[in-house]
Amino acid sequence: MVDAGTLAAFLVYGVLLGCVLAAIAHGLNLIWGVTKVVNIAHGEFVMLGAYGAYFLNLYWGLDPLVAAPIDALLGLAIGIGFYFGFLHRELRGKEQVTLQTELVTLVATFGLSLVLVNLGVAVLAHPVAVRYSTPTLVFGPIDLPLGGTYVAVASVAIIAATHVFLTRTYLGRAIRAYSQDIAAAKLMGVDPTKVAAVATGLGFATTMAGGALLTVWLHVGIDPYLGQIYAPISFVIVALGGAGKMWGSLVGGLTLGILLDVLPAFIPSDFAYAIAFLVIIPVLVFTPEGILR
């Protein structure tokens, strides 16, 4: 039988983990919600963000919290390049995403995913880890890791910053208008190419920043297959919270993080992971637009 103190500790760790998972999924949510493109290579950009934090730590001694903004700038540039290299030709001039467009972008991002994984395997053969340690605060039965707490706060700040950008700036409102009705947005003077490129860049920026923050939790190391773990987690989080809903990333991340940490207290961890992901089925059946309304 699990005592109340242990259960409280698992709950706190679940909240901390859920926040960083939310930041990772947030980039996918932005791109999916605005351009309606499902980025199959999402996990590989999480992996690139984690490697970025590793090399910044290795050569310059930067901790993941400092590396995250640098990764975000790289992600912004890569995302805009990705849009013009892979998506612009297919999305240009279209006022809605067709089945053909979905298939083309799915295949393109899947191919990109394979390229990045195989390049990673060829160049970076062995798992690596970021050297980062912080004190732990003890509150009764809870050992609160300060590193995980800082990362959780930074993750929520990333989501809050994108919310403010999308609701309080002209470009952000243009992105939201584009995501709702491309034809109407164009009539209002919105440049669809510029808006879609910025939204894609913003999505990649948050993804790579999330990958950098994730390194605090990666005790087993970073390897080229990292994306194959966190891409499915990101898709589940977006589906739970609702595609295109900025705070939906946090709701989905917290839900999954708490389930992943609390369920093993009651059942074997292998079954706990399976049950945690099964939650997506009733959510899709009863609230197909996600938990957040």
Side-chain angles (χ1 to χ4, degrees):
M1 185 66 181
V2 179
D3 61 84
T6 304
L7 186 61
F10 282 136
L11 185 62
V12 170
Y13 300 149
V15 169
L16 297 180
L17 176 63
C19 288
V20 72
L21 292 179
I24 290 169
H26 196 54
L28 177 69
N29 196 5
L30 277 167
I31 298 171
W32 192 352
V34 174
T35 64
K36 314 304 179 190
V37 169
V38 179
N39 179 18
I40 301 298
H42 173 75
E44 279 57 58
F45 286 95
V46 175
M47 178 262 288
L48 289 179
Y51 270 113
Y54 166 71
F55 285 115
L56 288 170
N57 178 265
L58 180 66
Y59 292 114
W60 290 354
L62 302 181
D63 70 47
L65 289 168
V66 180
I70 300 173
D71 267 10
L73 290 175
L74 286 172
L76 181 66
I78 293 172
I80 292 174
F82 176 83
Y83 174 81
F84 286 106
F86 287 87
L87 303 180
H88 180 59
R89 182 181 176 86
E90 185 58 35
L91 296 177
R92 180 177 54 192
K94 293 188 175 179
E95 296 184 347
Q96 61 180 5
V97 176
T98 62
L99 178 60
Q100 177 187 332
T101 301
E102 290 179 353
L103 288 174
V104 169
T105 54
L106 276 174
V107 172
T109 55
F110 179 64
L112 179 63
S113 166
L114 294 178
V115 169
L116 291 175
V117 169
N118 284 287
L119 278 176
V121 171
V123 178
L124 306 161
H126 305 292
V128 295
V130 172
R131 293 170 295 179
Y132 181 66
S133 62
T134 56
T136 299
L137 296 181
V138 179
F139 296 97
I142 302 173
D143 293 337
L144 187 67
L146 282 181
T149 306
Y150 296 153
V151 164
V153 172
S155 299
V156 175
I158 288 173
I159 296 173
T162 55
H163 173 75
V164 170
F165 171 74
L166 291 173
T167 56
R168 302 295 176 85
T169 67
Y170 171 79
L171 184 55
R173 293 191 186 101
I175 290 174
R176 290 171 60 207
Y178 175 91
S179 70
Q180 294 168 8
D181 191 326
I182 298 175
K186 288 168 68 175
L187 289 174
M188 297 299 292
V190 171
D191 181 344
T193 298
K194 177 182 176 182
V195 163
V198 170
T200 306
L202 191 61
F204 276 68
T206 56
T207 299
M208 290 187 62
L213 297 177
L214 179 66
T215 56
V216 172
W217 288 89
L218 293 177
H219 306 301
V220 296
I222 306 162
D223 64 49
Y225 298 106
L226 185 69
Q228 296 181 7
I229 299 172
Y230 290 95
I233 288 176
S234 298
F235 279 98
V236 168
I237 289 172
V238 172
L240 282 174
K245 299 170 184 171
M246 296 303 100
W247 289 108
S249 306
L250 186 60
V251 171
L254 289 175
T255 302
L256 192 62
I258 290 171
L259 287 173
L260 290 176
D261 261 317
V262 172
L263 285 178
F266 300 97
I267 56 179
S269 58
D270 291 341
F271 290 106
Y273 270 66
I275 291 173
F277 286 102
L278 281 176
V279 170
I280 191 69
I281 296 175
V283 169
L284 289 177
V285 170
F286 296 107
T287 57
E289 295 182 352
I291 297 173
L292 198 64
R293 296 298 180 92

